[in-house]
Amino acid sequence: VSSGQDIQGTSVVANLPVLMRQNPAETLRRVLPKIREVLHVAGVEMQLTAAVSFLTVLQEESVSIHTYSHSFLHIILQNLEHRDAGVSNAWLETLLAVIEALPKETVRHEILNPLVSKAQLSPTLQSRLVSCKIMGKLANKFEAHIIKREILPLVKSLCQDVEYEVRTCMCRQLEHIAQGIGTELTKTVVLPELVELARDEGSSVRLAAFETLVNLLDMFDADDRSQTVLPLVKSFCEKSFKADESILLSLSFHLGKLCNGLYGIFTPEQHLRFLEFYKKLSTLGLQQENGHNDNQLQLQTLEQEKKYISVRKNCAYNFPAMVVFVDPKNFHLELYSIFFCLCHDPEVPIRYTMAISFYEVAKLLNSGVYTIHKELVTLLQDESLEVLDALVGHLPEILELMTNGGENSGSESKLLSIPDLIPALTTAEQRAATSLKWRTHEKLLQKYACLPHIISSDQIYYRFLHRMLTIILTNNVLPVQKAAARTLCVYLRYNRKQEQRHEVIQKLIEQLGQGKSYWNRLRFLDTCEFIMELFSKSFFCKYFFLPVLELTHDPVANVR
């Protein structure tokens, strides 16, 4: 450490946790004071390493918390004021973790008191930002009356700081402070500050105020919601298209939470207004093709296009929440058109988000699930594999809902409900098979094991069973072959027609068990494992035991 070589110093600092484990007393007595001296003049690399090492020592608990605060805390506090913002933030992370672990009294003497006396005077922007974050952390540490007396005056002054970065940062911490002081004080102290910040001239401050408001919705009672929060939200909605485009993104992301959080206080007319606003956002950027296009507009429109895509993606993300908001009974009337638009959106991320939330929507619609059959078929045939992958995740549950959710759930109606389902499922599988994304193909084949509950065994036999056999014989990705083999065994298990069963078993034995390629014979053994898992011992012995034994004399060592 004393050599003055930065790289050697950094190495020692990086190994500090190891030294602390092996010999804490000597390390604290001899190494740490040296490190403390060197850190004053050290470069960025060493400072960052030290911040991480100090954090590791804390997490490994190689010394008592009392010793830690005695030896390490001062070094951390000294370096917080570092002129490099990256270094300052690294030390701040360490300090915030230390605050969690320290006893109250130590925090009070070492951190809170100096902070209170210094914050009023701290000249640099960085140190005021650090103060904001520390205060957010301290709010969970002390009782409400201490926070009210010592921290809140500071919080107020930082909320009115001259620099917009400080106001934004303090505003983001208000959420933690509100949780520390409870609902009463939140109402009298935090809410007025938020209202003030929501009208700030800095757009990032307004954005922070808006997001904090949304996150604190549960803490306000009905009066606050209707008299304070609702008017603010309305003004955000009105401004979002004109002045405040940054808010537009955040608003579209939080809209579901907002609508459901304020649900109880909406008049029917407001309810309708928010719904209309959501509808407007969901199709944002899709209507304006008027054919005028000048070059200087194009750059601007590219940026805007990106923003609009993000807004529509957020709308897709919030769709299940909006179904709850309008009540699933009114889905067809109010939201179906938007559902249709979002599932057919020209941009992949939006269709992908819809595919992910498709199961949620289907669950909410319950017996009305038949209204979205067409969209399921559309998404299954989507040209993007990401969309297919997202949809397939919950495919068994979705199909289960669709067959049982319909009113007429007798055994005959198993198929009547979704006319184009089977072609869509086959196309989806073929598209996955011809792509290079074998993981999607594997997942799809695994999920197709649910089909016996959904469609008749004849249809499985003619449409899917032979396809599985072909995949086992011709595909060259092992996980895909295994997935196909397992699904084939499931189909066989549910097939009640003796002659069909025998035919499949014959094919398995002839084409796999006695196949020309040793690769086929290995797959036969994999298939036998699934047979043993899904069928009885007697079934296995009757059909597969002898063909398996023959493979003990196989010419290829791997098979033996």
Side-chain angles (χ1 to χ4, degrees), residues 504-516 524:
V504 175
I505 293 168
Q506 250 354 86
K507 281 189 174 169
L508 282 174
I509 293 169
E510 284 163 15
Q511 298 180 359
L512 287 178
Q514 298 154 4
K516 285 197 182 66
F524 178 67

Side-chain angles (χ1 to χ4, degrees), residues 282-476:
S282 324
T283 51
L284 196 60
L286 294 178
Q287 269 90 20
Q288 288 103 347
E289 277 91 53
N290 297 338
H292 317 298
N293 224 346
D294 306 321
N295 282 346
Q296 77 269 17
L297 278 176
Q298 247 164 356
L299 273 176
Q300 200 182 346
T301 34
L302 261 179
E303 274 309 294
Q304 213 160 15
E305 190 57 30
K306 270 190 195 152
K307 187 173 288 167
Y308 287 164
I309 289 172
S310 304
V311 168
R312 296 204 304 275
K313 186 179 173 199
N314 288 341
C315 286
Y317 163 78
N318 274 311
F319 194 84
M322 295 312 285
V323 175
V324 175
F325 179 63
V326 302
D327 192 342
K329 291 199 290 289
N330 306 327
F331 170 79
H332 200 268
L333 198 64
E334 301 283 6
L335 282 177
Y336 177 72
S337 55
I338 295 297
F339 187 70
F340 179 85
C341 289
L342 290 170
C343 287
H344 289 81
D345 197 279
E347 298 298 329
V348 172
I350 293 139
R351 300 198 304 272
Y352 171 79
T353 311
M354 287 312 279
I356 285 183
S357 59
F358 199 92
Y359 175 50
E360 285 301 312
V361 176
K363 262 197 314 202
L364 289 169
L365 290 180
N366 199 352
S367 62
V369 74
Y370 61 88
T371 45
I372 58 173
H373 286 169
K374 287 198 186 76
E375 283 63 38
L376 176 66
V377 173
T378 308
L379 290 174
L380 275 173
Q381 295 168 321
D382 198 283
E383 68 242 26
S384 156
L385 271 177
E386 286 169 34
V387 175
L388 182 61
D389 191 88
L391 186 66
V392 162
H394 280 298
L395 191 66
E397 295 89 341
I398 294 171
L399 291 174
E400 188 72 26
L401 278 171
M402 292 205 158
T403 44
N404 302 335
E407 311 298 79
N408 47 353
S409 46
S411 55
E412 325 70 82
S413 72
K414 259 193 169 176
L415 248 180
L416 302 178
S417 50
I418 315 178
D420 307 330
L421 178 67
I422 294 178
L425 290 171
T426 17
T427 344
E429 190 274 319
Q430 273 151 2
R431 291 242 341 286
T434 49
S435 75
L436 292 173
K437 298 192 173 155
W438 62 264
R439 284 184 181 82
T440 301
H441 193 200
E442 178 197 15
K443 181 172 163 185
L444 189 118
L445 294 173
Q446 287 164 348
K447 299 293 182 184
Y448 275 17
C450 74
L451 292 179
H453 305 296
I454 313 293
I455 56 184
S456 67
S457 73
D458 269 356
Q459 282 176 311
I460 287 184
Y461 180 74
Y462 292 115
R463 289 302 190 83
F464 296 100
L465 209 147
H466 291 289
R467 176 68 188 145
M468 296 299 154
L469 196 58
T470 315
I471 294 170
I472 307 171
L473 288 165
T474 57
N475 195 296
N476 49 11

